[in-house]
Amino acid sequence: MTLPMGGVASGRRVNVLRHSHISVDWSQQKSLLSARSYGQHCRSRRNRLVNQPISAGPTTADRSTSHKASENHTTNTTQHRSNNGSTPSGASNGVPGSKKIGPPLNESVQAILLAGGPSTNALARFRAMPAVKLGSNMQLIDVPISNCIKSGVNKMYVLTQFNSHTLNTHIAASYPPVVFGGPQKRGFVDVLTASQTPKSANWYKGSADAVRQQLDSILDAFRGMDLPDELLILSGQALYRMDYADLLQTHRSNNADITIATHAVGLGQASFRGCCKVEPDTGCISLFYEKPTGDDLDKVRSVSKNATEENPFEASMGIYVFKRDVLVNLLRTESGDTKSAHFGADVIPHALESKLKVVAHHFDGYWRDISNLRDFFEVNLEMTSPGSPISVFDVEETIVSRGHILPPAMIHKCEIVHSLMGEGSALRGSYIKGSVIGCNTFVANGCHIEDSLLMGNDNYSNDRERERARQQGLSVLGIGENSVIKRAIIDDNVSIGSNVQIINKDGIEEADHTKKGYVIQNGIVVILKGATIPDGTVI
């Protein structure tokens, strides 16, 4: 469904919100409210749980009456496409992958996105890591939100704390209730920021503590909706594509208290993840160690059926499903225990000690945790290749984000190989290979840009504005003539002079030259947000 778009209507400028293959013009608001919401559109296309019958499986007593009619209703189902990488739901337990159990996800599940933690990443100096740009025009937080939308989960809370302004602004602009919630406004993406309350005057101490402090808001039925049966806990800084309906299927078919999404990893990653032992006959987790070393690492090596010689460890993806009451009891019964701050280090081991049923849902699709600068850099460069595991051009599977009211990129006499271009960019007489060019980027004649990430500028500018800035002696945002940039990240609103070389000529791994406008992390040069690099500089 595409509604008419336009920059001007009835003599006034209007904003346009673009969600993948749906475009929403605010001048068409009445038409939109009478149409299906974006989430409903996706669910009907992909045959989500919303239209599935209820079969045997645990449901809460307060929902039994409302779903009685559904129990006698039969809907033809199709085998769910497996290109998202998930093991077919319940396949290891004799449950066909196409069979759905329990009430619809849009009525029974709420998602909690963790986006508040600090980071040593140079790009997180000016915004939370989930707010860092991905590709040419998305942000990392859009990944789990898109997965939720496409899976039929339309109620989300984003927990923020560290450098949260950019993230809060992006969510408010990208997912407004009038568009995202549909006519009844039952879908939402709410931001819950760290704040002082009568119960707590402290900052979040970790992922579990963040959820604990916000439980009253999460379980508040102020919208007149039933409380969720399950709570889906997600990370805000990973790149992957998952159907959470399959994850919920595993959880419900096993009548699990907790279900953890897992992924096979090698030795190099195991000591940075939560690793577990999965019993092959039941799929239950019997051992779990957060960031294991030494003997603990040996205890979880090659002990799960999905382990391979190359990837012998079954690691948590930081994605959890909890029964609502189980999560509340785990968090509130230890509210005075400052040690229970993290899900991986504290809550999951405590749940196993308490003999709760913890099940693994193995995911063998593409998944990349973006915890450091090198991970972020490599993920963006991967997206430029034709065989990218996450395509930004696949309408069915693309990442939903906010559109921009910008002219198309202008490319004049350039040679461009395997690169992404953002709207509003102006590129002239340059060679660009394997790079991501963000929105509103200006590249002058004679430049060579290779394997680099240019994050763009906040505002669009044209030749007249750039010439006016030169005449006034001001910095011109963009890349000056005859400059060379290789394996570098250029943050927002940066001015690079002419004949500049950013090539890490000395092969330095770590350096902090903040006063000069750049740092080097993991061997990657990062020109910091708002920096000015003078003509002729060599880095």
Side-chain angles (χ1 to χ4, degrees):
M1 177 180 69
T2 303
L3 299 178
M5 290 180 59
V8 179
S10 302
R12 62 183 179 85
R13 187 173 183 82
V14 296
N15 293 320
V16 178
L17 177 69
R18 300 184 64 190
H19 280 317
S20 184
H21 52 286
I22 178 171
S23 301
V24 180
D25 190 327
W26 293 108
S27 65
Q28 302 292 332
Q29 180 172 320
K30 293 183 179 179
S31 297
L32 172 67
L33 293 180
S34 64
R36 290 177 300 175
S37 67
Y38 175 77
Q40 291 171 324
H41 179 65
C42 286
R43 290 192 295 275
S44 65
R45 285 173 65 93
R46 300 192 60 195
N47 199 18
R48 288 288 163 258
L49 287 177
V50 173
N51 296 316
Q52 301 302 316
I54 299 176
S55 56
T59 59
T60 56
D62 62 346
R63 221 179 282 275
S64 60
T65 302
S66 63
H67 292 292
K68 181 177 292 186
S70 298
E71 294 177 356
N72 299 319
H73 178 69
T74 302
T75 302
N76 292 327
T77 60
T78 57
Q79 179 68 36
H80 174 65
R81 292 181 301 169
S82 61
N83 66 349
N84 64 4
S86 297
T87 299
S89 303
S92 61
N93 301 290
V95 180
S98 61
K99 185 177 181 181
K100 303 300 182 181
I101 292 179
L105 298 193
N106 69 332
E107 297 178 11
S108 60
V109 178
Q110 292 183 8
I112 302 171
L113 283 62
L114 303 172
S119 174
T120 58
N121 192 312
L123 298 174
R125 292 188 178 191
F126 307 100
R127 80 281 278 174
M129 196 60 201
V132 174
K133 293 177 182 176
L134 177 70
S136 61
N137 56 5
M138 301 168 287
Q139 295 187 8
L140 281 174
I141 194 64
D142 294 323
V143 175
I145 292 178
S146 296
N147 285 333
C148 283
I149 292 172
K150 295 172 184 296
S151 301
V153 178
N154 66 345
K155 299 173 179 64
M156 294 166 252
Y157 294 97
V158 182
L159 275 54
T160 66
Q161 174 174 279
F162 180 80
N163 266 353
S164 61
H165 174 71
T166 300
L167 180 59
N168 296 346
T169 301
H170 173 73
I171 292 172
S174 300
Y175 310 101
V178 69
V179 173
F180 185 75
Q184 296 180 337
K185 301 182 181 178
R186 288 301 181 96
F188 56 82
V189 183
D190 277 2
V191 173
L192 298 178
T193 60
S195 59
Q196 291 183 327
T197 68
K199 292 184 178 180
S200 177
N202 301 317
W203 291 106
Y204 301 150
K205 298 182 181 68
S207 56
D209 186 59
V211 176
R212 177 191 294 114
Q213 291 195 37
Q214 297 291 356
L215 271 180
D216 288 344
S217 297
I218 293 169
L219 300 179
D220 185 358
F222 70 94
R223 288 183 172 88
M225 295 178 291
D226 292 334
L227 293 178
D229 293 340
E230 295 101 356
L231 289 166
L232 175 63
I233 312 295
L234 304 171
S235 168
Q237 53 185 60
L239 181 61
Y240 63 102
R241 188 174 62 228
M242 178 185 286
D243 183 359
Y244 299 138
D246 290 340
L247 174 63
L248 266 296
Q249 166 73 4
T250 298
H251 179 78
R252 291 172 175 178
S253 64
N254 285 280
N255 193 21
D257 295 305
I258 305 168
T259 299
I260 303 175
T262 61
H263 191 80
V265 300
L267 179 62
Q269 294 187 53
S271 58
F272 299 98
R273 309 278 182 248
C275 294
C276 57
K277 177 182 179 181
V278 182
E279 299 299 331
D281 53 341
T282 63
C284 290
I285 293 174
S286 55
L287 288 176
F288 187 94
Y289 296 105
E290 181 72 4
K291 300 179 181 179
T293 57
D295 292 341
D296 290 344
L297 196 61
D298 291 335
K299 292 177 182 177
V300 292
R301 183 196 298 268
S302 301
V303 294
S304 298
K305 68 177 183 179
N306 297 304
T308 64
E309 184 175 350
E310 183 180 359
N311 296 308
F313 300 96
E314 191 84 356
S316 167
M317 298 170 63
I319 299 173
Y320 312 94
V321 179
F322 286 83
K323 287 183 177 178
R324 183 191 72 237
D325 293 341
V326 169
L327 179 62
V328 171
N329 290 334
L330 282 171
L331 295 181
R332 284 186 169 166
T333 55
E334 298 190 356
S335 59
D337 184 2
T338 57
K339 293 183 180 180
S340 58
H342 301 277
F343 281 106
D346 306 307
V347 174
I348 300 304
H350 178 67
L352 291 173
E353 292 172 2
S354 302
K355 306 302 182 183
L356 294 177
K357 188 173 185 180
V358 184
V359 171
H361 173 84
H362 181 73
F363 178 81
D364 58 9
Y366 178 86
W367 171 71
R368 190 76 176 266
D369 179 63
I370 303 176
S371 56
N372 59 48
L373 188 71
R374 184 180 296 279
D375 291 334
F376 174 77
F377 181 71
E378 291 177 351
V379 158
N380 274 276
L381 296 192
E382 282 179 357
M383 295 179 73
T384 67
S385 65
S388 171
I390 300 291
S391 173
V392 296
F393 301 104
D394 188 333
V395 174
E396 288 277 333
E397 306 296 345
T398 192
I399 299 169
V400 176
S401 188
R402 175 168 58 102
H404 301 85
I405 310 174
L406 293 169
M410 186 202 70
I411 302 171
H412 183 66
K413 294 184 178 180
C414 293
E415 183 180 354
I416 300 176
V417 182
H418 295 168
S419 297
L420 298 179
M421 303 294 144
E423 304 102 306
S425 297
L427 316 174
R428 293 185 176 142
S430 295
Y431 176 80
I432 300 172
K433 179 181 179 182
S435 298
V436 176
I437 309 299
C439 296
N440 299 323
T441 298
F442 172 71
V443 178
N445 285 294
C447 292
H448 182 111
I449 300 172
E450 188 170 349
D451 296 334
S452 295
L453 171 58
L454 280 60
M455 300 181 70
N457 301 311
D458 291 338
N459 300 306
Y460 174 77
S461 62
N462 53 34
D463 289 342
R464 292 192 305 274
E465 292 171 336
R466 286 188 284 271
E467 182 58 32
R468 188 182 305 117
R470 292 189 188 94
Q471 293 176 358
Q472 295 175 357
L474 303 176
S475 297
V476 177
L477 299 182
I479 314 301
E481 293 181 348
N482 303 315
S483 292
V484 178
I485 301 174
K486 293 184 178 181
R487 291 193 62 78
I489 298 176
I490 312 300
D491 206 341
D492 293 337
N493 305 324
V494 166
S495 175
I496 305 291
S498 299
N499 301 301
V500 170
Q501 294 187 49
I502 303 174
I503 55 176
N504 193 6
K505 64 181 180 65
D506 297 323
I508 298 171
E509 282 294 312
E510 303 289 332
D512 188 344
H513 297 286
T514 300
K515 292 183 178 180
K516 296 181 180 180
Y518 73 94
V519 298
I520 302 176
Q521 283 187 353
N522 306 124
I524 301 165
V525 179
V526 180
I527 307 300
L528 299 174
K529 181 178 180 180
T532 297
I533 306 300
D535 294 349
T537 300
V538 178
I539 299 175

